[in-house]
Amino acid sequence: ILNVEQSPQSLHVQEGDSTNFTCSFPSSNFYALHWYRWETAKSPEALFVMTLNGDEKKKGRISATLNTKEGYSYLYIKGSQPEDSATYLCAFRNTGGFKTIFGAGTRLFVKA
Amino acid sequence: NAGVTQTPKFRVLKTGQSMTLLCAQDMNHEYMYWYRQDPGMGLRLIHYSVGEGTTAKGEVPDGYNVSRLKKQNFLLGLESAAPSQTSVYFCASTDLGTGAYGYTFGSGTRLTVV
């Protein structure tokens, strides 16, 4: 059974704080790791799709790193803003399958 | 470009009733998925399809059936609804299904079974 774990489960920060959270996934048969941003009452939106060990991706104040050998990815948010408040999901895809396994998410609350 | 459209958005069913959730995508994606989302849990895959006329079981397929008669549509059926099927259902699609591209999600269907 493939398991994707995210930590922390939730996080409360002040506006302007920088923060990061972790996604752990199986280190074998890696194909891709996705990060999604999921605002309340909306649907998840893809942030990054990462496929290579050592990948670093950036979109504005949000960036992500990937370590496929040890099975983890970090998502960083620099200078958090209230509009960053959302659940951040990661999802793991292995080779040989058509399915993507999602973590339970990290719920971020940014207080103004 | 509508992306992925789910209908209905909300529904309340009585135990034992049946219903069909419709997912339609206009992006010519080959791969389509149905997930359910429950509090404290990640999105769990119910069924998926890798092309028109094909379907396969995911992690939690029991109590659900699916059909993909047309490439753009993926239907999820509940033959005899149970309270345990109270959840938010999301449909998603992707073009190659290889994981190199992110999924496009619908806006979800909130289903309550009483």
Side-chain angles (χ1 to χ4, degrees):
Chain A
I1 296 177
L2 300 176
N3 202 29
V4 177
E5 295 185 355
Q6 291 189 246
S7 62
Q9 192 171 35
S10 66
L11 192 57
H12 292 252
V13 301
Q14 293 287 330
E15 182 176 358
D17 288 351
S18 292
T19 187
N20 65 85
F21 12 98
T22 305
C23 173
S24 300
F25 51 87
S27 57
S28 57
N29 303 317
F30 177 88
Y31 188 89
L33 192 284
H34 301 184
W35 280 101
Y36 292 84
R37 182 170 180 270
W38 192 359
E39 290 181 74
T40 303
K42 294 187 178 180
S43 52
E45 292 185 354
L47 283 172
F48 305 115
V49 177
M50 309 175 81
T51 56
L52 298 175
N53 184 44
D55 254 356
E56 291 189 25
K57 298 229 174 178
K58 188 175 181 181
K59 184 182 289 188
R61 294 179 291 100
I62 304 176
S63 60
T65 61
L66 178 67
N67 183 325
T68 61
K69 295 190 186 307
E70 296 182 43
Y72 64 84
S73 175
Y74 294 135
L75 188 80
Y76 300 91
I77 302 179
K78 185 177 178 182
S80 302
Q81 299 297 308
E83 57 265 31
D84 294 329
S85 297
T87 296
Y88 292 85
L89 294 176
C90 72
F92 165 78
R93 175 68 175 274
N94 65 347
T95 56
F98 299 103
K99 297 173 283 186
T100 299
I101 306 300
F102 285 82
T106 292
R107 185 84 189 272
L108 175 67
F109 300 89
V110 182
K111 189 175 179 182
Chain B
N1 188 342
V4 177
T5 303
Q6 287 182 235
T7 53
K9 294 191 186 307
F10 304 93
R11 185 72 184 268
V12 178
L13 285 180
K14 292 183 179 177
T15 298
Q17 286 186 316
S18 64
M19 78 164 292
T20 300
L21 283 69
L22 171 63
C23 177
Q25 53 95 3
D26 61 1
M27 297 170 286
N28 203 35
H29 285 175
E30 287 290 339
Y31 298 84
M32 297 185 74
Y33 306 82
W34 275 107
Y35 286 90
R36 61 177 288 174
Q37 198 265 325
D38 300 294
M41 305 185 77
L43 292 164
R44 292 186 293 166
L45 183 63
I46 305 171
H47 285 281
Y48 64 101
S49 168
V50 300
E52 181 178 314
T54 70
T55 63
K57 294 180 181 180
E59 302 171 72
V60 290
D62 294 342
Y64 304 96
N65 57 75
V66 287
S67 64
R68 184 101 180 265
L69 299 178
K70 293 184 178 180
K71 186 177 182 180
Q72 64 267 34
N73 296 335
F74 194 28
L75 278 63
L76 178 71
L78 286 74
E79 289 186 349
S80 180
S84 60
Q85 293 178 303
T86 293
S87 188
V88 182
Y89 293 84
F90 285 94
C91 176
S93 70
T94 188
D95 46 4
L96 292 180
T98 59
Y101 301 88
Y103 288 11
T104 301
F105 283 87
S107 57
T109 296
R110 185 173 294 275
L111 175 66
T112 302
V113 183
V114 298

